[in-house]
């Protein structure tokens, strides 16, 4: 009996050891992306769709500042300054402004989240491969159930910087990839590179502020009944979106993937997403109507996960 | 009767001979099923559709989620919901039908043997309507903590796809 216990412990220790390097790689990767400045070009690929973007990421005294500009397709620009993200959408002559309300929920990969991750994914390290000219360590995250997608991440051996990321579906086929083709890590980056370039494209910009504030949706009669194992409620808020104020937004996360539940009055809607399921890369979107409201669930998870949450949304007159 | 029907479908009847048939079809459910069936047989022979479409549609409609009607829903909304869910079923069937075209035989076999619930979860490409949600969602994903604003390109890509359309 004692022999069995010892054997079991030994096996367990073995398993923990196998996960440890992967976990510490994740931790390293997270620290690197929060502390290193870099400029680079990356390619986003999903199915037949492929798009190249330029990214500038500067860590300074006042937090992180970033600028992303798409190099092919229709020009778009995302500029982040600390808690505030601005999306310049020249086709609508609109700047969407979103300011973080809940400071507690960031950064995302804290040690306690790492524990969550290892509870729902099998972690392992892979071979050393070259990505964008850097020797990189591959880290695999295999989901333990069908509620989440698998990931493979590549980190620079020297700095820990995340250089490539792939998402796999239930059949273990890659469905989405982000990969740097060229990156320069560290060094001095000119402030000029952080200034939005698309500003000159339109003379008048329509500013759409999300005006997000913390809120409790249960107070207005809404409840999300389903519980997806491992997905915890991170925060809930009210925001202005697409011209409609009072859009409820609840966020769940398992430490790696997130699911957003949006609830908004139908009367405000001018264009509706199609009812049922739609997809963009590794993101599934499920829409349905409940009590004169549109419920839209968005997540980088398999379709069943977003659908389960969407179909469990209920309204009761408070 | 069925022979007459078959002859009509094959365009072998004169207008006069066919005269009463539309009215009879309207009255007789059995005859309508035969009519559907003959068309399906014809279509399958011509390789236009997979067989057993009626049963597939029925199975899918049966598998539609039960709508838990909230207390204060007005009638027109109910109708609208039903219409939308019907439209979704039809769209899913249309997609399966498309998948069953020659050349993707293996896919169609896999889909045909899968339970109706899985067939229903065929996703369409996210369009313009999804843009705002994608933008609002991106920053709350823990992977954004590592990738910075990079995941925002998903949204960009989606809107590009919709402008092309």
């Amino acid at each position: 009996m004692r022999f069995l216990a010892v054997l079991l412990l030994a096996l367990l220790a073995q398993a923990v050891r196998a996960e440890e390097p992967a976990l510490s790689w994740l931790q390293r990767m997270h620290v690197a992306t929060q502390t290193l400045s870099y400029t680079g070009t990356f390619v986003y690929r999903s199915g037949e769709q492929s798009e190249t973007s330029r990214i500038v990421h500067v860590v300074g005294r006042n937090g992180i500042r970033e600028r992303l500009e798409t190099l092919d397709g229709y020009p778009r620009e995302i500029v982040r300054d600390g808690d505030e993200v601005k999306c310049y959408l020249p086709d609508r002559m609109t700047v969407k402004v979103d300011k973080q309300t809940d400071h507690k929920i960031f950064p995302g990969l804290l040690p306690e989240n790492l524990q969550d991750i290892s509870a729902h994914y099998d972690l392992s390290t892979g071979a050393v491969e070259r990505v964008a000219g850097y020797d990189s360590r591959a880290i695999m995250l295999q989901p333990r159930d069908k509620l989440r997608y698998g990931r493979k991440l590549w980190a620079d051996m020297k700095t820990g910087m995340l250089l490539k990321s792939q998402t796999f579906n239930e059949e273990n086929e890659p469905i989405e990839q982000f990969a740097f083709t060229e990156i320069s890590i560290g060094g001095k980056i000119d402030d000029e590179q952080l200034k939005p370039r698309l500003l000159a494209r339109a003379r008048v910009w329509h500013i759409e502020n999300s005006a997000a504030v913390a809120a409790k949706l249960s107070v207005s009669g809404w409840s999300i009944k389903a519980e997806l194992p491992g997905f915890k409620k991170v925060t809930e808020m009210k925001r202005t979106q697409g011209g409609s104020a009072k859009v409820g937004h609840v966020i769940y996360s398992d430490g790696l993937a997130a699911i957003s539940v949006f609830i908004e009055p139908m009367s405000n809607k001018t264009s509706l997403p199609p009812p049922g399921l739609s997809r963009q890369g590794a993101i599934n979107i499920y829409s349905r109507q409940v009590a004169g409201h549109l419920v839209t669930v968005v997540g980088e998870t398999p379709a069943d996960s977003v659908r389960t949450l969407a179909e469990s949304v209920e309204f009761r007159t408070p | 009767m069925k022979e007459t029907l078959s002859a009509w479908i094959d365009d072998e009847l004169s207008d006069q001979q066919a005269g009463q048939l539309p009215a009879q079809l309207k009255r007789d459910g059995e005859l309508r099923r035969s009519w559907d069936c003959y068309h399906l047989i014809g279509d399958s022979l011509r390789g236009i559709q997979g067989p057993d479409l009626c049963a597939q549609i029925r199975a899918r409609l049966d598998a539609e989620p039960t709508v838990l009607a909230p207390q204060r829903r007005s009638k027109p909304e109910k109708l609208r919901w039903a219409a939308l869910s019907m439209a979704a079923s039809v769209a899913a069937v249309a997609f399966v039908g498309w998948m069953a075209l020659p050349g993707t035989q293996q896919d169609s076999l896999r889909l045909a043997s899968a339970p109706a619930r899985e067939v229903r979860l065929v996703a369409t490409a996210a369009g313009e309507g999804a843009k705002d949600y994608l933008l609002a969602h991106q920053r709350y994903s823990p992977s954004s903590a590592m990738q910075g604003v990079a995941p925002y390109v998903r949204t960009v890509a989606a809107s590009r796809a919709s402008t092309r359309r």
Side-chain angles (χ1 to χ4, degrees):
Chain A
M1 198 61 215
R2 189 174 294 170
F3 169 72
L4 252 179
V6 170
L7 187 73
L8 213 71
L9 263 176
L11 281 174
L12 204 71
Q14 192 72 34
V16 169
R17 261 203 296 279
E19 286 217 326
E20 227 163 47
L23 265 183
S24 59
W25 267 109
L26 271 186
Q27 181 73 42
R28 243 191 108 191
M29 227 185 282
H30 175 64
V31 172
T33 51
Q34 299 302 303
T35 53
L36 295 173
S37 296
Y38 56 85
T39 57
T41 308
F42 72 88
V43 177
Y44 166 78
R45 196 164 285 156
S46 159
E48 285 176 7
Q49 184 186 318
S50 159
E51 206 159 55
T52 311
S53 303
R54 176 104 196 126
I55 194 163
V56 181
H57 179 105
V58 177
V59 182
R61 243 174 293 149
N62 305 319
I64 294 173
R65 288 189 297 157
E66 280 179 292
R67 189 176 70 86
L68 178 147
E69 182 188 4
T70 56
L71 298 182
D72 43 26
Y74 203 82
R76 305 281 150 118
E77 203 168 30
I78 318 289
V79 179
R80 173 182 165 203
D81 188 350
D83 286 341
E84 191 181 68
V85 175
K86 284 182 180 159
C87 306
Y88 293 85
L89 309 169
D91 64 334
R92 293 201 248 168
M93 292 193 293
T94 299
V95 196
K96 290 174 83 77
V97 185
D98 193 9
K99 205 165 164 68
Q100 185 87 48
T101 52
D102 194 346
H103 298 272
K104 286 194 305 292
I105 68 169
F106 265 77
L109 277 176
L110 295 168
E112 62 256 38
N113 292 359
L114 286 176
Q115 285 309 315
D116 283 351
I117 290 176
S118 54
H120 301 287
Y121 299 84
D122 280 318
L123 282 85
S124 57
T125 49
V128 175
E129 291 167 40
R130 255 162 70 85
V131 180
Y134 293 82
D135 283 338
S136 305
R137 173 69 72 187
I139 295 107
M140 276 83 78
L141 297 108
Q142 196 73 36
R144 292 181 200 244
D145 56 28
K146 297 229 167 223
L147 293 172
R148 48 212 115 227
Y149 284 142
R151 301 281 183 101
K152 191 173 177 187
L153 309 168
W154 284 260
D156 172 29
M157 295 286 283
K158 273 208 198 95
T159 60
M161 174 65 201
L162 172 66
L163 297 177
K164 183 172 168 183
S165 127
Q166 272 182 348
T167 306
F168 296 86
N169 67 7
E170 301 93 320
E171 274 83 46
N172 217 17
E173 300 156 344
I175 46 171
E176 191 176 73
Q177 174 179 300
F178 291 88
F180 276 103
T181 52
E182 169 270 307
I183 181 170
S184 115
I185 304 168
K188 174 101 185 81
I189 295 164
D190 196 1
D191 270 2
E192 202 57 34
Q193 290 202 56
L194 290 161
K195 291 210 175 114
R197 305 210 171 153
L198 290 184
L199 259 182
R201 290 247 176 178
R203 207 174 317 149
V204 184
W205 286 88
H206 170 63
I207 297 168
E208 215 176 272
N209 201 316
S210 74
V213 283
K216 272 230 164 293
L217 271 70
S218 55
V219 174
S220 34
W222 292 96
S223 59
I224 302 164
K225 297 275 184 207
E227 277 176 28
L228 298 178
F231 282 94
K232 293 181 195 159
K233 193 192 283 179
V234 180
T235 186
E236 51 186 311
M237 64 187 108
K238 287 235 172 208
R239 54 162 62 239
T240 300
Q241 190 167 293
S244 94
K246 294 189 180 167
V247 176
H249 184 186
V250 186
I251 296 135
Y252 293 85
S253 173
D254 71 347
L256 192 69
I259 305 181
S260 284
V261 180
F262 297 95
I263 301 172
E264 63 195 296
M266 287 291 293
S267 52
N268 284 328
K269 294 300 292 177
T270 45
S271 71
L272 285 177
L277 191 71
S278 54
R279 199 165 81 99
Q280 166 60 42
I283 294 192
N284 277 299
I285 305 163
Y286 194 92
S287 281
R288 65 182 278 251
Q289 290 177 41
V290 183
H293 285 66
L294 183 71
V295 171
T296 307
V297 181
V298 179
E300 56 269 27
T301 59
D304 261 328
S305 302
V306 292
R307 197 191 57 139
T308 305
L309 269 192
E311 291 194 340
S312 77
V313 173
E314 285 179 21
F315 177 75
R316 249 170 235 287
T317 316
Chain B
M1 190 65 238
K2 285 185 177 172
E3 270 166 42
T4 324
L5 190 67
S6 167
W8 189 35
I9 289 170
D10 292 339
D11 208 14
E12 286 165 2
L13 294 190
S14 67
D15 284 355
Q16 203 183 0
Q17 282 170 307
Q20 286 304 310
L21 272 166
Q24 255 169 310
L25 267 179
K26 217 171 179 179
R27 277 196 310 271
D28 187 345
E30 178 65 25
L31 198 62
R32 267 201 310 278
R33 267 187 292 283
S34 306
W35 163 269
D36 288 347
C37 205
Y38 290 164
H39 272 290
L40 263 179
I41 293 168
D43 285 350
S44 331
L45 284 175
R46 285 186 289 274
I48 292 174
Q49 277 293 2
D52 207 17
L53 191 63
C54 277
Q56 280 187 41
I57 295 173
R58 230 176 293 131
R60 218 150 300 130
L61 283 176
D62 286 346
E64 278 290 324
T66 313
V67 183
L68 296 170
Q71 289 163 342
R72 281 191 298 181
R73 176 185 265 165
S74 63
K75 242 197 177 140
E77 259 168 29
K78 220 179 236 173
L79 277 175
R80 191 163 174 202
W81 207 99
L84 282 172
S85 67
M86 282 285 282
S89 311
V90 172
V93 171
F95 191 78
V96 172
W98 177 77
M99 292 289 284
L101 284 173
T104 57
Q105 219 165 17
Q106 216 172 350
D107 284 337
S108 71
L109 282 177
R110 198 162 55 84
L111 279 170
S113 60
R117 213 175 74 117
E118 277 179 39
V119 176
R120 254 179 349 115
L121 283 178
V122 172
T124 55
E128 190 71 18
K131 195 149 72 175
D132 287 336
Y133 304 104
L134 285 167
L135 278 175
H137 170 75
Q138 304 294 0
R139 72 176 306 172
Y140 295 99
S141 167
S143 48
S144 294
M146 284 204 291
Q147 291 181 290
V149 290
Y152 276 87
V153 291
R154 283 167 174 151
T155 313
V156 172
S159 56
R160 189 176 67 141
S162 62
T163 36
R164 206 190 295 133
R165 211 175 294 142

